[in-house]
Each structure stands twice: as structure tokens, then as C-alpha cells.
Amino acid sequence: IYIEKAEGRTRTELAHLKALIAWLEARLAEEPPTGLAVYYRKFLAESYSLLGSALTLAGRAADGVEAFLAASRLEEDGAQSIAEYSNALFALNYVSEGERASFAGLLAGFDGFFCREDRVPLMFHAHERLRIGYISPDLRHHAVAFFLLPLLRAFDRGRFDVFCYANNREDAVSRAMAQQDGVVWRNILGLSPDDAARLIAADEIDILVDLSGHTSDNCLPVLARKPAPVQITGLGYMGRTGLSTIDYVLGDMVLDADAADVGSERPLCLPHSHFCYLPFVAMPDAAPPPSLTRGFVTFGCFNNYSKVTDEMLLLWRRLLEDVPGARLLLKSRLFGSAEGRELAAERFRRLGLDASRVELRGFSADYLAEYADMDIALDTAPYTGGLTTCEALYMGVPVVTLKGGTHGARFGASLLRNAGLAELVAESAAQYAEIAGLLAASPETLAMLREKQRDILLASHLMNFRWYVREVEAAYEAVWREWEERDARAGR
């Protein structure tokens, strides 16, 4: 099964996992109980976890959530049970809004894995400069690094001390971040949550910022131990974590315009963008729109295929029907194998999408150059693009996004408004199709955006890293003053 997973034989992997799960469940149901029950139960939990990953990859996220929850229930290893529950919460972001009702209590359930007795005792210290800690498994060559780099490069060294806690193997990007002037770098890979929390507490961090949420190898069990007086989550995840020990979710006035300011994980709204895009790799020059020479428009999406809901595919089908001769270019890991492409083609047929007008491409190192093959990028919903959208815009490709009703579903809207491209934000599916259709019908607009869009970005709030860092620092100081006032009222 692991070989099938590594080689992208997703259909075969799914079939073998289902057969293995059925066999293990039958053995565990036998009377008298088998002496191998402990091992079978462990294998069953692992099989459900693999099933959750394969289902989510194949575009069946709701089934993936159920599989991860089964793995969490079966796991007798407490840390792994928490990890599987986290996997379920992460996969839930891929689920269309209409399918989420049955998972209504899932987020609140995460806090139940932790208890107050596990929290680290804090000694309260007054520092000359506010101590900020960033913690993540992605302090390496990863999308998060693009958004963290401004905060390491441009922070006010007279007012702040910055610490980074990297729960990952290090690479060239890690080393570059660690060498930023004034940054204290700690690698916590292999430390238990208790040990990592004690290390952070010993560093007397005032504000600890989680950058990973429920993503893989996350550090939420560390934050559950409350090693810093104020804790914030943001940048690397698209919403709340469910932890009562996290005080704020970093956001902005687009993401959280109508959010309730109650309980834990309150919205911490920046005046402009909640993140700043600062590419640290060489970017190719923007190419002319391919439609100028091909004679037809190519819509495209390089977002993870797991984000592509049935509702999104139906909306894209409508676009292909409305724009004569148009094509759709999709790029994702699933499409790197024949079985993955077959799974996608079956789904297209089920939804009435003409597969002959869709091109599927797998991962590649030179993917940025492939934006030359796309006229208009189509964002996904409710799980929108982040770094992918930034890269498309930087390559001169306009991105049409659908503004959702939650913090996470508005990432695309926030990004485009702060990029100076608010006219590409749709308030409804009908408007999404209208905007994309109008762009497709205007080769002059597409050509102009290829020529001017990078300059628009460079002059926007999305890429003004010095302005962004000042706004983040002002937010840090505001929440710290609020904490000090609460602490004073408590008489500590």
C-alpha cells in the first residue's frame, strides 16, 4: 500500500485499503477475541489514516474526514490519536459548505484532548523588549516561509526580540531565516510537547505565534500547554484551531469583517492584509496570454485538487459552456499518475464536464513557467488559494475568487483586495462566472494585465512588507497591553 501511495496508484491504494480494513475488522469481531487484537487494532487505525489521505487526495474530502476520525478513535497512542483528529479537522477545510453540517461539533472537540493540569507554570517577567516566538513545522522551503520572511527581516529590533521554534529538518531556507539579524533560532524537532513548551517558557516568550494550525506535524499540542501568556494562530492555516489556550486568530478587515469577538481565538484584525507576499526565489518573466496565438482561452487552476469540490467543477463546466472553445488546465499531485487522471476523468463524467476540454498535469519543478499556458486562473472555494494565488498574480495571470462566509473562505478575497485587484472578487457563483467570462472576452485586458499586474502587486499592500510588519507589531503591542491590564486586574 505504501508503494502504491508513493507511485500515485490511488485507485489501487483505495481498493487495497478497503479490503484490508474489512479483513482487520472481521478479525477483531471474532469470538473468542484473537490474541493479535492489539496489533490488528493498530494496523486498522493506520489503515483508516491512509484511507483518509487517499480519499481527500481523490476529491472525496467528507469521506476522508470520517476515515481520519475512525483512525483517531482506534488509536491507543494518545499523541497519534490527536494527530489523526487534527488530520480530520484539516481535511474538513476541503469539504463544501453544504456537506459540513454533520461535522458541526468537530472543532470544539479538539480541546477535549488536553487538560489544564498539562499546562506549563509561567513566571512573569518584564522585558525591555517584547519577546515574540514563531512556532511551526514549516520553517523551511515551504509556503509559510514566504509569509514569515518579512516578519524576520523587517521587525523593529529596538522594540522586539524574535525567537523561532522549528519543528522540522532544516534546509537552505531554514538557514537563511536563522541567519536574520536578531533572530534566536531553536530546533525542537524530536522534543515532546512538554519539553518544547518548557523550552519556550524558559525563553520567557511573551507572545507565541503558531504558523501551522492543523497542518501536518503541527505544534498545537505545544500551544495546548500554554507556554506563553498570549498565543496567536495565523499565516499558515485558514481559521480557528479549537484550542482554548489560543487567544487570537490573525486576520484582517476582509477576513473578519463580521466576526464575533467572543471566547478564545478572537479575531485579531489588521487594517490591511493578514499576510505579506515576499518571494525569495527568482521568478520568471511574465509571458503573453496564450490565447493571443492559440485562438482560444485557457482557464486554469494550480491549487491542490483536494480543494476542488463538485460545486466548483460544476461552476467551471458552466464557464466552458459559456465561452466557446475554452479549455481548462488543472495541475496537482494526483494527476502525476494514470490512475489519478482516471479518477478525475470519472468524476468529470459524473458531473457532465467534457474531459476532452480539460488538461491534467502533475507536479513539476518548473511550474511557474507553466503560467504561460494559462490566460485566467480560477480560485477554489471554500478552501481558496494562498501562495498559489500570489504566484499566479505575480506571473501576470488574473485570478477570479469567490468570497465565502467564513474567515478561511475569504483568503482569496482578502488577497485580491490587498493586491489592488478587488474587481476580481465575486460575491456569488453567478458573479464569479460573469467576471471570468468578461475577462475571457477581452484579450486587451488580458494582455494589459500580463504587462502591468506585477507592478500593481509590487505597489500594493500585499507586497509592502515594511508597512505590513509595522501593522503586525502594532497588533502585538495592543494585545500585550490588553493582557497586562487583565493581569493587573487579576492581582498577579
Side-chain angles (χ1 to χ4, degrees), residues 8 57 72 85 120 154 291 450:
L57 178 65
S72 180
Y85 199 95
V120 175
S291 56
R450 288 293 174 125

Side-chain angles (χ1 to χ4, degrees), residues 130 132 206-209 229-232 247-250 266-269 472-486:
L130 203 58
I132 310 298
D206 298 311
I207 300 175
L208 182 63
V209 184
V230 177
Q231 300 193 148
I232 301 170
D247 304 286
Y248 301 95
V249 178
L250 187 65
R266 291 178 289 161
L268 179 57
C269 294
V472 172
E473 290 177 341
Y476 288 162
E477 289 178 324
V479 297
W480 184 249
R481 285 193 300 271
E482 184 179 328
W483 180 84
E484 286 184 315
E485 290 168 3
R486 288 200 309 269

Side-chain angles (χ1 to χ4, degrees), residues 157-411:
R157 285 150 178 84
R159 292 155 56 208
F160 300 90
D161 291 321
V162 168
F163 293 68
C164 288
Y165 300 93
N167 188 37
N168 52 264
R169 298 186 187 280
E170 297 185 2
D171 58 15
V173 175
S174 298
R175 290 188 286 275
M177 289 193 289
Q179 291 166 7
Q180 295 296 313
D181 181 41
V183 172
V184 178
W185 190 269
R186 313 275 197 220
N187 193 297
I188 60 171
L189 184 65
L191 293 186
S192 70
D194 282 328
D195 288 341
R198 281 193 287 268
L199 173 63
I200 294 166
D203 283 335
E204 300 176 9
I205 297 302
D206 298 311
I207 300 175
L208 182 63
V209 184
D210 163 57
L211 305 176
S212 56
H214 286 286
T215 59
S216 180
D217 300 319
N218 67 71
C219 301
L220 293 179
V222 179
L223 280 91
R225 285 151 173 81
K226 195 65 170 176
V230 177
Q231 300 193 148
I232 301 170
T233 187
L235 295 185
Y237 192 60
M238 63 295 298
R240 296 169 60 229
T241 68
L243 275 185
S244 59
T245 54
I246 294 181
D247 304 286
Y248 301 95
V249 178
L250 187 65
D252 59 46
M253 299 307 292
V254 176
L255 295 181
D256 304 300
D258 52 7
D261 188 9
V262 294
S264 63
E265 297 191 280
R266 291 178 289 161
L268 179 57
C269 294
L270 300 183
H272 296 99
S273 178
H274 68 292
F275 64 62
C276 176
Y277 174 53
L278 183 63
F280 53 78
V281 295
M283 303 286 279
D285 292 334
S291 56
L292 296 182
T293 54
R294 293 178 179 175
F296 59 85
V297 167
T298 301
F299 297 107
C301 181
F302 286 2
N303 289 355
N304 187 336
Y305 180 68
S306 300
K307 297 182 180 182
V308 182
T309 63
D310 283 1
E311 289 82 357
M312 232 44 239
L313 285 173
L314 290 171
L315 184 51
W316 294 349
R317 184 190 75 180
R318 172 179 169 182
L319 268 176
L320 292 182
E321 292 169 349
D322 289 347
V323 181
R327 302 290 191 272
L328 178 61
L329 170 61
L330 302 180
K331 186 175 180 68
S332 194
R333 178 162 64 96
L334 181 69
F335 308 142
S337 69
E339 286 197 12
R341 293 189 294 273
E342 288 168 8
L343 282 172
E346 288 175 3
R347 189 179 179 200
F348 298 161
R349 286 193 292 272
R350 174 172 60 83
L351 296 172
L353 179 62
D354 184 356
S356 68
R357 298 174 68 182
V358 183
E359 181 183 355
L360 303 176
R361 298 183 186 178
F363 278 174
S364 59
D366 62 344
Y367 70 97
L368 289 171
E370 294 183 67
Y371 281 109
D373 298 328
M374 184 193 305
D375 291 286
I376 301 161
L378 302 174
D379 201 4
T380 48
Y383 191 170
T384 69
L387 178 62
T388 305
T389 300
C390 293
E391 290 174 337
L393 294 173
Y394 202 78
M395 294 305 299
V397 181
V399 181
V400 182
T401 194
L402 177 59
K403 181 182 177 182
T406 64
H407 175 104
R410 293 176 176 176
F411 263 48

Side-chain angles (χ1 to χ4, degrees), residues 41-57:
R41 187 177 177 88
K42 178 64 177 176
F43 294 151
L44 185 59
E46 186 174 344
S47 298
Y48 268 115
S49 181
L50 290 168
L51 181 65
S53 295
L55 288 168
T56 304
L57 178 65

